[in-house]
Amino acid sequence: MPTNDGPEQIRYGVIGTGMMGIEHIQNILALDNCVVTAVADPEPSSLLSAREAVGPDTPLATFGTARELIAANLCDALVIASPNHTHHDVLIPSIESGLHLLIEKPLCTTLDDCREIVDLVSDRPASQVIWMGLEYRYMPPLQRVMSEIAKGTVGDVKMVAIREHRFPFLVKVDNWNRFSKNTGGTLVEKCCHFFDLMIEATESRPVRVYASGAQDVNHLDEVYDGKQSDILDNAYVIVDFANGSRGLLDLCMFAEASKNEREIVVTGTAGKVEALDTESIVRIGVRTDDILSGVNVVTEEKIVDSSIKHQGLHHGASYLEHVDFAGAIRAGESAAVTVLDGLWSAAIGFAAHLSLDSGMPVMIDDLAQVAGLEFRP
């Protein structure tokens, strides 16, 4: 509804109120003239967490299912933060509702389901903002890296190296994230963020993927309903791109004894830029012909974004993502991060898992689900 003292209020519904759902609620409440009016989750304890996050004195409708929330007509926008394996079934009525959507990664847990959602969204009116939640793009040091690439600081990008050395997967309701069939696999669930960054940095289509990895340390003694956890905990993934650039992912999820959880390095013909996002540090090195005076000169800068009102779990990235999502809704603009971006970032992960299974490189063009699909970096 319009207001007299600011932009039009946006009423949000949040579907899935586990850890990420609560993170989204906290970010929404930090935005100007935005409210959370409804939440949906089949787990009573998760609904209680949502109530606590919103505050006891704020009206909040609670539902057990997404369809019930949508039918209540209490929202202008939805955030989809339910478990990965529920995305497909939740997204279909959400997309068809005409409400604006922000979809947590990954898009879906199979490439067939991703393609179905992309095709469904392609038939929707442009006035419906359907935004893919790839919030690592919004981490302030990574935004600086991308701005340096755009300025030509590194020249033509040739290599993108991403290292994530972190803690194991956290405990989720019913331990759904302990099984690849529920998550899409670690290289989809967790690493679609990194493959999206590779695509952004290279501005090129992925063409070949090779991976090596395993479940070596984490969750080996965890059995649920008679089934052993099968979630991969370490891997190397190499991605070749159509323009000749290449990416490398180094993932370890039993490396919490690290100072920086993530290091992102982009190297080109003219120089190198790297982000240490835990410390929010960016280093920039420019190549020079003067070997004696310039070859090892690197500038280092602490990156601070004073506009962030909620740091949350992702160093303020989710807040900045929400600012842009709400801005697109109010301005009637298209999503800056689309479900097509979600499909391509996940497709690299699916190809990596296929490579792990076969021991061979996987050509992206061999994946039937991307045949004839438009690519937009």
Side-chain angles (χ1 to χ4, degrees):
M1 63 182 68
T3 63
N4 295 323
D5 57 354
E8 182 178 353
Q9 185 181 72
I10 302 174
R11 303 171 302 161
Y12 287 79
V14 178
I15 298 172
T17 54
M19 183 182 70
M20 276 309 302
I22 299 303
E23 166 83 352
H24 282 292
I25 289 172
Q26 292 167 337
N27 279 289
I28 292 165
L29 297 180
L31 298 172
D32 293 334
N33 210 12
C34 292
V35 294
V36 178
T37 53
V39 295
D41 198 296
E43 174 60 40
S45 63
S46 296
L47 291 177
L48 179 60
S49 295
R51 160 52 64 199
E52 292 172 348
V54 170
D57 300 325
T58 301
L60 180 70
T62 60
F63 302 93
T65 70
R67 289 183 183 274
E68 290 173 320
L69 185 154
I70 292 167
N73 196 29
L74 296 171
C75 306
D76 307 303
L78 300 177
V79 175
I80 311 301
S82 57
N84 301 359
H85 59 289
T86 69
H87 282 193
H88 175 266
D89 290 348
V90 167
L91 281 171
I92 291 175
S94 299
I95 293 166
E96 293 175 344
S97 73
L99 297 171
H100 306 296
L101 304 180
L102 191 157
I103 306 162
E104 253 304 324
K105 61 80 191 170
L107 181 56
C108 293
T109 55
T110 72
L111 199 46
D112 283 335
D113 285 350
C114 288
R115 179 60 188 264
E116 181 181 349
I117 295 302
V118 167
D119 290 343
L120 181 61
V121 169
S122 69
D123 292 331
R124 299 303 304 170
S127 57
Q128 184 181 10
V129 180
I130 301 179
W131 193 288
M132 190 68 224
L134 290 164
E135 66 268 13
Y136 279 32
R137 291 189 185 196
Y138 284 89
M139 287 187 177
L142 298 184
Q143 288 190 312
R144 175 61 179 277
V145 166
M146 296 303 172
S147 71
E148 292 295 332
I149 294 170
K151 282 164 45 178
T153 300
V154 303
D156 294 333
V157 172
K158 296 300 182 183
M159 303 177 75
V160 182
I162 298 177
R163 170 181 289 171
E164 182 173 61
H165 282 194
R166 56 160 280 171
F167 49 88
F169 280 118
L170 300 174
V171 174
K172 299 292 182 73
V173 173
D174 294 330
N175 299 291
W176 65 266
N177 64 336
R178 296 303 196 253
F179 297 97
S180 294
K181 70 174 183 178
N182 295 335
T183 66
T186 300
L187 299 177
V188 174
E189 201 286 332
K190 186 73 192 69
C191 301
C192 60
H193 279 308
F194 306 128
F195 301 136
D196 179 60
L197 293 175
M198 289 181 187
I199 291 171
E200 286 293 290
T202 63
E203 295 187 296
S204 186
R205 185 183 191 278
V207 295
R208 182 171 61 180
V209 179
Y210 176 73
S212 173
Q215 182 187 25
D216 286 327
V217 176
N218 297 340
H219 319 305
L220 296 177
D221 59 350
E222 296 183 21
V223 177
Y224 306 96
D225 296 326
K227 297 179 181 178
Q228 165 69 46
S229 169
D230 69 347
I231 202 73
L232 177 146
D233 62 17
N234 70 100
Y236 293 113
V237 181
I238 296 172
V239 185
D240 292 331
F241 290 88
N243 65 358
S245 56
R246 59 187 55 84
L248 169 67
L249 172 66
D250 167 4
L251 174 73
C252 182
M253 299 190 67
F254 46 88
E256 54 266 47
S258 300
K259 186 174 183 180
N260 275 285
E261 188 174 322
R262 282 171 297 273
E263 300 175 12
I264 294 88
V265 182
V266 180
T267 309
T269 54
K272 170 182 172 181
V273 60
E274 57 187 318
L276 310 176
D277 81 32
T278 304
E279 297 180 277
S280 201
I281 287 173
V282 167
R283 295 176 182 150
I284 300 171
V286 178
R287 299 181 71 193
T288 174
D289 292 332
D290 187 349
I291 295 176
L292 293 179
S293 65
V295 71
N296 293 318
V297 175
V298 176
T299 60
E300 181 174 295
E301 182 179 348
K302 181 82 170 182
I303 306 299
V304 177
D305 188 336
S306 60
S307 73
I308 295 172
K309 296 181 181 179
H310 180 74
Q311 288 289 328
L313 301 173
H314 296 93
H315 309 290
S318 293
Y319 173 80
L320 295 173
E321 174 185 58
H322 270 286
V323 169
D324 277 9
F325 175 56
I329 292 171
R330 290 183 170 126
E333 298 174 348
S334 299
V337 190
T338 69
V339 292
L340 192 56
D341 294 317
L343 181 145
W344 281 107
S345 64
I348 296 176
F350 289 123
H353 278 288
L354 289 172
S355 177
L356 281 172
D357 292 341
S358 68
M360 299 293 291
V362 171
M363 303 302 295
I364 293 292
D365 281 343
D366 289 341
L367 303 177
Q369 298 89 342
V370 303
L373 186 67
E374 180 183 4
F375 174 75
R376 293 195 301 271

